[in-house]
Structures are given as structure tokens and as C-alpha cells.
């Protein structure tokens, strides 16, 4: 069963030089419980695509369905984790999570219970009363991911969530995300600039062209789960990394 189905999606924006087409007819599918990554050159429309899926923008043409229902015209059909944690500084960690659940339609008492249980499950309960400014970047992203994970939507959109972290913290966060995803197996569409990250996390990798963007390459990742950092040293990992790098270079 497909959680996300996109057919012929097009989007353009009006700029000083006229109208610029960013997405030129994107077709993609994310299956139930599948982890799909999007790679593409800078400016290829990856974040625009997530905005359309999340209902923050409307498409010019094409069809977008989440769990079989038409989407793209209203916010809220997918849980969204942005590049920055985007936690409200005047709310505690638990307050941020509860607010997201309330917006998603949970009752106040249920939102509180789910937030408390989620923090305990991830071993983050000691941060429940903390405010975001006292947390490290990696810890803020953990809270942001938990907030998305607890949302009831069947699809999670992750927009370069580890891009601002240092290399060591980024690797730790990848392993942390994998361990949680293995338990939950939510459908994920993950935007990243890192080929290694895409190979480590994904079931499939899609490569976007330069604008007007289309999908120009699809790779089924062959490595079994669960995965660890040892994967980086395998010859096949290096071969696939080189193939994807060549595909991206050809789009510049």
C-alpha cells in the first residue's frame, strides 16, 4: 500500500525575471513503512516539494495523495521535521510537544499523557521542564523528532534535520533515528544533501534533477537492516556512493 502518491507535480514561482518553474513534473511513491530519501543539487526544489506535500503551498498541476486522499490544499496531512528544531522558546520541552499534539487534534489530557510517555520512552523525561535554549542542537533535534513521531499522520517529512549538526553528532543522530524508526516503521520522506546519510538510512533513494526538477534516478538500497557505521567500510557502499555522486554531478 502507498502512503504517498505524487503524479505530474509542477510548481513555479514569480520572480523578477518572470515565472520560474521549480518542479517540472515529479512522480514518486512512498510505500507503507518505507524510508525514502531525496537527493538533488542545491535549488532543485526538494524543500518546495515538501512544502507542497505538507499543504503549505499549492501545486500548479499534478496530483498528490496521502493515504489515498487528495492532499496539497490544506496543512497538516503529514508530520514535518524542519532543518532547525523550531521549538517555541517560551514553552518547555513537554509544552512544545503537547502543543503539536493539540494542533493535530488530540485532547488536552491525551496530549499531556502522550508527551510524558514519549519522553520516557526515549529517555528524555529529565528534559521535560527544560526550555529549548538550554539544550544542545542535537538534543533539540531529538525533541523535534519526537514531536513529529508522536503526531498521528501516516507520513513523516524530514527536511535535512541533521544538516546543522557537527559530523560526530550527526552520525550519532543517524543511529538514534534508525533505532527509533526500526521500532515504529512510519513512512518517511527524507531530504538530505549527504549521499552517505541517504545510503545509511534509506530503503530507496530518489535523485532530483536541476529545475524544472524531475526524478532522474532511483536506487533501491541493498543493505539489510538493522544497519551500523560498519556499513561505511563495505565496498558496495563505496560503489553506490560513487554512482550517486556521478548522478548528482551530471545534474549540475
Amino acid at each position: 500500500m502507498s502512503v504517498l502518491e505524487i503524479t505530474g507535480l509542477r510548481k513555479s514561482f514569480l520572480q523578477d525575471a518572470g515565472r520560474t518553474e521549480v518542479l517540472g513534473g515529479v512522480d514518486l511513491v512512498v510505500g507503507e513503512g518505507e524510508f525514502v530519501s531525496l537527493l538533488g543539487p542545491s535549488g532543485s526544489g526538494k524543500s518546495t516539494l515538501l512544502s507542497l506535500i505538507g499543504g503549505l503551498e499549492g501545486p500548479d498541476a499534478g496530483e498528490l495523495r496521502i493515504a489515498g486522499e487528495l492532499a496539497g490544499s490544506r496543512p497538516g496531512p503529514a508530520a514535518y521535521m524542519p532543518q532547525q528544531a523550531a521549538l517555541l522558546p517560551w514553552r518547555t520541552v513537554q509544552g512544545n510537544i503537547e502543543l503539536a499534539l493539540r494542533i493535530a487534534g488530540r485532547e488536552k489530557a491525551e496530549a499531556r499523557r502522550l508527551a510524558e510517555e514519549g519522553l520516557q520512552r526515549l529517555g528524555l523525561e529529565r528534559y521535560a521542564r527544560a526550555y529549548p535554549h538550554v539544550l544542545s542542537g542535537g538534543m533539540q533535534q531529538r525533541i523535534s523528532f519526537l514531536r513529529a513521531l508522536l503526531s498521528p499522520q501516516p507520513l513523516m517529512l524530514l527536511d535535512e534535520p541533521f544538516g546543522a549538526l557537527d559530523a560526530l553528532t550527526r552520525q550519532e543522530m543517524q543511529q538514534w533515528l534508525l533505532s527509533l524508526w526500526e521500532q515504529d516503521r512510519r513512512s518517511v520522506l527524507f531530504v538530505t544533501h549527504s549521499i552517505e546519510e541517504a545510503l545509511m538510512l534509506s530503503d530507496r533513494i530518489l535523485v532530483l534533477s536541476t529545475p524544472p526538477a524531475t526524478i532522474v534516478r532511483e536506487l533501491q538500497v541493498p543493505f539489510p537492516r538493522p544497519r551500523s557505521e560498519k556499513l561505511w567500510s563495505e565496498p558496495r557502499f563505496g560503489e553506490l556512493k560513487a554512482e550517486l555522486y556521478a548522478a548528482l554531478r551530471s545534474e549540475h
Side-chain angles (χ1 to χ4, degrees):
M1 177 182 173
S2 297
V3 171
L4 174 67
E5 297 178 69
I6 293 176
T7 307
L9 204 65
R10 294 181 177 272
K11 182 65 178 178
S12 61
F13 295 99
L14 190 61
Q15 298 179 334
D16 293 340
R19 187 163 287 279
T20 300
E21 191 173 22
V22 179
L23 302 178
V26 172
D27 301 299
L28 69 84
V29 172
V30 177
E32 187 173 1
E34 189 179 28
F35 198 121
V36 177
S37 285
L38 273 178
L39 287 171
S42 295
S44 59
K46 299 184 294 296
S47 293
T48 298
L49 181 57
L50 292 196
S51 294
L52 292 172
I53 297 169
L56 303 177
E57 300 269 0
D60 297 337
E63 188 174 270
L64 196 160
R65 291 181 179 271
I66 296 178
E69 296 185 4
L70 281 173
S73 58
R74 59 179 179 85
Y80 179 65
M81 182 178 174
Q83 296 177 18
Q84 303 296 330
L87 301 174
L88 297 176
W90 58 87
R91 281 184 173 267
T92 63
V93 163
Q94 183 168 325
N96 270 278
I97 296 170
E98 288 181 18
L99 178 61
L101 291 171
R102 293 282 284 140
I103 292 171
R106 304 287 191 182
E107 295 295 330
K108 185 175 181 179
E110 185 185 16
R112 181 181 298 114
R113 177 182 61 80
L114 288 171
E116 290 173 350
E117 290 176 355
L119 287 165
Q120 289 171 4
R121 173 188 167 195
L122 271 60
L124 300 174
E125 64 272 17
R126 64 186 180 277
Y127 300 103
R129 303 289 177 250
Y131 286 88
H133 73 274
V134 305
L135 305 178
S136 67
M139 189 58 66
Q140 289 188 31
Q141 287 300 78
R142 281 179 167 86
I143 301 302
S144 182
F145 179 75
L146 174 59
R147 183 175 59 183
L149 190 66
L150 291 175
S151 296
Q153 296 93 334
L155 175 68
M156 294 179 65
L157 306 175
L158 309 184
D159 188 3
E160 295 188 70
F162 310 142
L165 304 177
D166 63 81
L168 181 59
T169 305
R170 184 169 185 155
Q171 287 189 36
E172 291 173 349
M173 288 296 295
Q174 289 170 9
Q175 288 300 314
W176 183 82
L177 173 58
L178 274 178
S179 67
L180 288 182
W181 183 82
E182 290 284 356
Q183 299 172 32
D184 190 80
R185 290 290 176 121
R186 294 273 292 283
S187 299
V188 173
L189 185 61
F190 185 90
V191 167
T192 180
H193 276 104
S194 170
I195 295 172
E196 295 93 340
E197 188 167 73
L199 286 168
M200 175 65 76
L201 297 175
S202 311
D203 296 309
R204 276 190 302 127
I205 299 172
L206 306 175
V207 178
L208 279 173
S209 69
T210 52
T214 59
I215 304 293
V216 293
R217 177 75 190 275
E218 178 177 333
L219 173 69
Q220 193 80 35
V221 180
F223 308 116
R225 298 183 184 276
R227 297 174 186 166
S228 71
E229 295 97 332
K230 294 179 181 178
L231 191 63
W232 291 51
S233 60
E234 292 191 13
R236 185 58 177 151
F237 187 92
E239 292 169 4
L240 292 176
K241 177 181 172 182
E243 287 180 23
L244 289 168
Y245 180 69
L248 287 170
R249 277 187 62 91
S250 69
E251 294 303 322
H252 275 281

